[in-house]
Amino acid sequence: MINMEIKDIFEMVFNIAYMVFLWGLVYKMFNSLDSKNIRFTKTVAWTFALLAIGDTGHVGFRVIAYLKGGIAANALFVGMGKFATSVTLTIFYCFFIIVWKLRFDKKFNNFTYLLFGCALIRLIILALPGNQWGSMSAPFDWAIYRNIPFWILGLGADYLILSSALKAKDKTFKWIGIMILISFGFYTPVVLFAHKTPIIGALMIPKTVAYLAAAFIAYYGVFKRENLKTTNREISC
C-alpha cells in the first residue's frame, strides 16, 4: 500500500467488509427462494443483486485504486466505478417499484410511469460527456442534473413502499422503506455540499450502512423459512 493515511485504510477495510456482507446476503437470498412465491422472491433477490453489482464497481474500484497508488492517480478508474453504481442504482429503484407491485398486489399507474420516465432521463444524463466521470473535480452542476431525476425516482419508489407497508402493517417493508429514506438523508448533503466541504463525504458511510441494513431486513423478513408466506399479499413479521 502506497502512502495511505489511516482514513484511507479505514475506508478500504469498510468497503471490503461491506462487499463481503452484501454479497453474502444476496447469495443467501438466491439460495432461499420460495417455490410457491418464486416471482416475488426472485425479484427481491435480483433487486439487491443489482445493488451489490453496482457497489462492487464503486467501492471495489476505490479499493483497487488505493492499492494502485491512490484515488487521485486512478481518477478514471474510480470514475468508471461511480458511473457503474449510478446506472445499477437507477435500475435498482425500478426493480423496487416492481417489488412494490408484487408485494402489495398493485398495478402500475401514472405515478409509477412518471418514476420509470425519471429513470430513463437519468440514464440518458449519465451517458452524457458533461459528467466528466474521469475527473477528480467533476462539475457540480452535472451532479445536480443527474440527481434530480434520481431523487424523484428513489424517493417516489420509497413512498410507494412505505405508504403501502404502513397500510398493510407490513413490518418488513416498513423498515426497508425507512432504511432507504435514511440512505437518502445521508446521500443528499454529500451531493449538495461535499464539493465545498469534503468531510461531508464521510456521510456516504452511514448511507452505505443503511443500504446494507435494508438488504439484511429483506433477507430475514422475506427469505427466512419461518417468515415465508404463500402469497404476495401475506405479511412477513
Side-chain angles (χ1 to χ4, degrees):
M1 294 180 284
I2 304 175
N3 296 326
M4 286 201 299
E5 300 179 2
I6 292 177
K7 66 179 180 62
D8 300 331
I9 296 173
F10 172 79
E11 182 187 337
M12 281 184 56
V13 172
F14 174 83
N15 288 344
I16 293 170
Y18 168 68
M19 287 188 292
V20 169
F21 279 110
L22 182 57
W23 275 113
L25 286 170
V26 170
Y27 176 80
K28 286 179 174 291
M29 288 179 185
F30 278 105
N31 280 275
S32 305
L33 297 176
D34 181 13
S35 59
K36 296 180 180 179
N37 205 3
I38 190 68
R39 186 183 178 192
F40 170 67
T41 53
K42 186 176 287 188
T43 303
V44 174
W46 274 111
T47 300
F48 286 98
L50 281 166
L51 177 65
I53 292 169
D55 278 357
T56 297
H58 184 201
V59 302
F61 280 18
R62 287 182 69 86
V63 169
I64 296 172
Y66 277 125
L67 295 175
K68 288 172 62 67
I71 298 297
N74 296 276
L76 179 60
F77 193 61
V78 173
M80 290 301 97
K82 291 180 180 178
F83 173 74
T85 195
S86 295
V87 171
T88 53
L89 263 182
T90 303
I91 303 172
F92 167 86
Y93 281 107
C94 291
F95 269 63
F96 210 31
I97 296 170
I98 298 171
V99 168
W100 163 80
K101 177 179 181 292
L102 296 173
R103 179 69 167 189
F104 300 103
D105 193 24
K106 299 291 187 177
K107 293 182 179 180
F108 293 144
N109 52 37
N110 290 337
F111 183 61
T112 56
Y113 293 135
L114 169 66
L115 298 181
F116 287 131
C118 286
L120 179 59
I121 292 170
R122 174 170 160 86
L123 290 174
I124 293 172
I125 294 174
L126 292 176
L128 297 177
N131 291 284
Q132 297 183 28
W133 292 109
S135 172
M136 282 300 296
S137 54
F140 173 70
D141 52 352
W142 279 88
I144 298 299
Y145 298 156
R146 64 178 178 260
N147 274 292
I148 288 175
F150 181 65
W151 281 319
I152 297 172
L153 169 64
L155 292 173
D158 198 47
Y159 165 76
L160 293 174
I161 288 286
L162 264 178
S163 60
S164 295
L166 289 171
K167 289 179 182 178
K169 298 182 179 179
D170 185 331
K171 294 181 180 179
T172 294
F173 277 84
K174 179 189 76 173
W175 282 106
I176 290 174
I178 289 172
M179 290 302 108
I180 296 298
L181 193 60
I182 289 173
S183 75
F184 272 98
F186 287 116
Y187 175 69
T188 300
V190 174
V191 174
L192 296 177
F193 307 116
H195 66 292
K196 290 186 177 180
T197 311
I199 189 62
I200 292 178
L203 292 177
M204 291 297 284
I205 292 177
K207 172 258 188 187
T208 301
V209 171
Y211 273 123
L212 185 60
F216 184 84
I217 293 166
Y219 171 65
Y220 275 93
V222 174
F223 295 89
K224 287 287 284 184
R225 289 300 175 187
E226 63 267 27
N227 288 335
L228 286 173
K229 304 297 183 178
T230 58
T231 71
N232 293 337
R233 298 188 68 179
E234 290 176 314
I235 305 305
S236 298
C237 295

